[in-house]
Structure formats: structure tokens, C-alpha cells
Amino acid sequence: MNFELDQDQQMLADSLRRFLADHYDFESRKRIIASDAGYSPEVWAGFAETGLLGLPLPEEVGGFGGGAVALMSVMEALGEYLVVEPYLPTVLASRLIAQRGSGAQHEAILGPVIAGELKLALAHGEPESRYQAAQVATRAEASGDGWKLSGRKQLVFGAPMADKIVVSARTAGTEGDADGISLFVVDAKAPGLKMTAYRTLDNQRAADIVLNGVSVSSGELLGDAGNALADIEAAFDFANTMLCAEASGAIRSANADTLEYLKTRKQFGAPIGSFQALQHRMVDMFVTQEQMRSMQYLVCSRLDTLDDAQERARIASGAKIKTADACRQISQEAVQLHGGMGMTEELKVSHTFRRLTLIGQQFGDADYHLERYARLQDAA
């Protein structure tokens, strides 16, 4: 299998890295996360100008038709620079709208998304769901020619910046049923929607959402009512694959920073990088880095060609297990090799530690995916 990027993918990766080098150095990132908005409108406009927002969307809705392989180098660069802009939440929500939405919804929502005028978020997880996609208690009751949504959503990444939120709600069945789950596009400022925003451990912005009889029209329902679970699960498998690529970039950054520190920090009159015990630990970190890079190429290429939902889920869970293990190893080793300095706000490695820690938890932790992988393996 050819693990080299093609010319267009390499040009995009190089262009994005140049853009981030100019606009997203560590000091600029500090200013962005300290701002009230929690993201940079200038950087978001740059993403739109370079085509990143249209990259994962089909050509028929104005995008570039890119899949997991096309986004792989993008996510890797975002991980390397610890970008906090809500790129992945917008990608996930916009792909669901592209898959399930009508032509009118495509025109009204996806065009502005591609132009950088709209930001999206996906609200699915709930307080009792524990990563189980079918555990949806939020209800959507028919009301006139529309629906009324009531329930709670938890840890909605990108929600504080979002203009519209794709919300899952149950139109039939009871909590835990595979059937009966629907998706709606809800205005972030809709009456009855209460949002409690906060910073996450890694300085991204997220929110808990309470829906208290939020009215939406029939035109805000995505696709047919009651059959959205398969698309939601596919979106989460795609998300975990993208997190694998993002983790690969963050790991490379952590390794580079740690190696530079070992070369410059002196003890007993010699760089600590000359100590054999530390060299062995650094070698292990670079081996993990290369394993992650190889895995992201393989998983992304498989995801773009698979039609079997169970095999897709098995591969995504396997990738997340390895990603979570690698995130834990590299984040902890990088901080330990930096000593006490590794936990200070002034060093990028402490922020990389936080992002890698959260990547290991997003869209299912290692324990959840290990159980899921074993179940799917037995069923194969």
C-alpha cells in the first residue's frame, strides 16, 4: 500500500502548515484561548479561504469531496499546532447535513459553512449515555407542522461558537432503542435553549445544553424521522479516525519539544540527552510516533473504501484503542522528561499533554472501544 500523500494532499498540508506558522504560534494561541470568543475569526476566515471548510463535503453541495485521507494531513497539522478552533465539530455536523439534508438545507446551511459564515456543532451525548450512541433520552414531540425538543445534552464541543447545532432527539421508542432517533438543525439562540459554556481541560470551548420545549419547523428535520442512528455512529467512527490523525500531529510536536529540551538542558556538565536511560525512553517515544503515523494512513484509507458498517466500526475502535494508549504514553513521558518544567503554562508541552489526554477520552475512551472491538470481532 502506498502511504505517500499525493501532490494535492501534500500541497494542502504544506499550505496549512505555512498558514499556521504565520498565524498560530504558541503566543498567538495563548491570546486566542484567553479571548472571550475562544477562537480567532481571522484564522476561521483563513480556513475558509484555503478551502478547509469545504474539503470534507461532497462536490454536489459545493465542497471538494474529500474523505478521511484528504482530511488526514489537515487534522495532523491542527494537532501539531494545538488549534482550538471548532473545525472537527463543524466538519461532523456539516457532513451529517450533507448526508441527510434536503437541497434547501444544503443551500441554506452548507454554502455559508464553506464560506466561513456559519459554524456548527453536534449535540448528541447526554449525562447518562456513557458513549452509547443509542442512549438518547431527549424527546422531539410533534407540534403543529413542526416539533418541540426537550432534554439535555452534555459536553457539546464548539457549541459556544456555533450558529447552528445539529441535535439528536427521540421521535419514537424509549431510551436505548436503536430505532426512533432523529436529527434536527437548531438555531443556537433559539428560545428555550439554555447553554452553559465552559473551557475544557485543553482550553477548547464546549457547553452543556438544556432544551426546554424548543420549537423547530419540519424543515429543520434532517432526512426521515427515526432512522438517524446509523449515520450518527458513522460520524463518530469518522471522528475517531480524525482524532487519530490529530493525535499523530500532537505526538510529533511533543516529541520534537522533548528532544530539543534533552539537547539543551544540562546536568553534571552534560546535556541530559546524553544519558543512555533517557535516550532509550526517547527512542520508544519516536517508535510510537511512527506507529501512529502508519496507523493513521492505514485506517483513513480503509475508512474511505469500506461499505460494511461493522467492519468500519471495528477498525475505528481498534484505532482509538491504540490512539488512547499512545496519547497516554507520549503525554506522560514528555512531561516527565521535562521535569517540573513540563507542567508549567509557559511550555507548549504542558498544553500538548492536556490535548492528548482529552483525545483519549473523546468519542469513547479505551475501555469502551476495547469492549466494542471485542464484541465486533466476535460477531465477525
Side-chain angles (χ1 to χ4, degrees):
M1 181 177 290
N2 180 15
F3 282 165
E4 294 295 327
L5 297 176
D6 64 30
Q7 185 176 7
D8 290 341
Q9 292 164 350
Q10 190 61 57
M11 288 176 62
L12 176 63
D14 293 342
S15 174
L16 177 57
R17 281 194 166 85
R18 286 194 299 270
F19 175 81
L20 292 175
D22 292 338
H23 297 87
Y24 224 92
D25 60 80
F26 186 51
E27 293 303 317
S28 297
R29 181 182 182 274
K30 283 184 180 179
R31 291 191 292 271
I32 290 169
I33 62 178
S35 68
D36 292 337
Y39 80 105
S40 167
E42 293 77 15
V43 170
W44 195 256
F47 286 177
E49 186 177 343
T50 54
L52 295 189
L53 301 178
L55 180 62
L57 297 177
E59 294 180 8
E60 56 265 27
V61 302
F64 297 101
V69 170
L71 259 69
M72 179 178 62
S73 58
V74 172
M75 294 304 299
E76 197 175 352
L78 298 183
E80 186 176 344
Y81 283 85
L82 300 180
V83 170
V84 297
E85 275 60 28
Y87 182 71
L88 186 57
T90 294
V91 165
L92 296 180
S94 62
R95 279 169 58 92
L96 283 169
I97 293 171
Q99 290 165 1
R100 298 183 58 85
S102 64
Q105 289 169 329
H106 292 166
E107 184 177 354
I109 301 173
L110 297 184
V113 166
I114 293 170
E117 298 165 1
L118 275 182
K119 293 175 291 299
L120 307 177
L122 174 59
H124 180 70
E126 300 187 359
E128 305 299 327
S129 61
R130 293 298 301 166
Y131 307 127
Q132 301 291 336
Q135 293 293 323
V136 176
T138 299
R139 305 293 304 189
E141 302 290 344
S143 175
D145 63 347
W147 304 83
K148 284 191 179 293
L149 277 57
S150 298
R152 298 170 61 195
K153 298 294 179 180
Q154 192 172 54
L155 197 60
V156 183
F157 286 94
M161 305 94 145
D163 301 291
K164 292 184 180 295
I165 303 172
V166 175
V167 178
S168 62
R170 189 169 288 284
T171 50
T174 59
E175 187 176 352
D177 290 347
D179 295 328
I181 299 173
S182 305
L183 288 173
F184 299 86
V185 179
V186 181
D187 191 283
K189 293 182 172 59
L193 188 152
K194 180 183 178 182
M195 187 182 301
T196 303
Y198 46 83
R199 289 186 189 178
T200 56
L201 173 72
D202 57 348
N203 286 311
Q204 295 192 55
R205 300 295 172 93
D208 294 340
I209 294 175
V210 176
L211 303 155
N212 187 15
V214 176
S215 296
V216 295
S217 70
S218 58
E220 266 87 49
L221 173 66
L222 292 176
D224 296 330
N227 65 355
L229 181 61
D231 289 332
I232 293 169
E233 289 178 332
F236 288 169
D237 288 337
F238 182 85
N240 274 312
T241 306
M242 292 299 96
L243 288 180
C244 172
E246 184 183 353
S248 181
I251 284 170
R252 184 167 64 247
S253 172
N255 285 354
D257 290 345
T258 304
L259 182 60
E260 182 63 25
Y261 182 78
L262 295 185
K263 288 179 178 179
T264 56
R265 174 73 167 91
K266 291 187 176 181
Q267 196 171 39
F268 306 114
I272 61 175
S274 64
F275 303 156
Q276 192 175 55
L278 301 189
Q279 290 176 359
H280 288 170
R281 292 172 69 176
M282 196 76 238
V283 167
D284 287 342
M285 292 169 69
F286 273 98
V287 168
T288 297
Q289 173 183 317
E290 292 306 307
Q291 288 176 337
M292 281 291 297
R293 188 169 178 84
S294 296
M295 184 180 68
Q296 81 179 46
Y297 275 75
L298 176 61
V299 171
C300 289
S301 62
R302 290 293 306 280
L303 201 74
D304 281 343
T305 58
L306 275 175
D307 292 325
D308 185 277
Q310 280 200 327
E311 181 65 7
R312 180 207 68 225
R314 189 182 69 84
I315 289 172
S317 283
K320 185 56 181 289
I321 294 165
K322 176 60 181 174
T323 298
D325 288 346
C327 286
R328 183 174 61 253
Q329 176 200 352
I330 299 300
S331 61
Q332 293 180 3
E333 287 281 25
V335 165
Q336 289 176 19
L337 290 174
H338 274 81
M341 288 286 292
M343 294 302 295
T344 61
E345 289 284 337
E346 289 76 13
L347 288 190
K348 182 184 175 185
V349 71
S350 72
H351 297 262
T352 307
F353 173 92
R354 299 175 196 178
R355 180 58 193 147
L356 288 172
T357 299
L358 199 60
I359 285 175
Q361 305 296 317
Q362 270 186 276
F363 303 107
D365 58 17
D367 289 341
Y368 167 77
H369 282 284
L370 188 60
E371 181 182 346
R372 184 181 189 230
Y373 183 91
R375 183 173 68 252
L376 292 166
Q377 189 74 3
D378 289 341

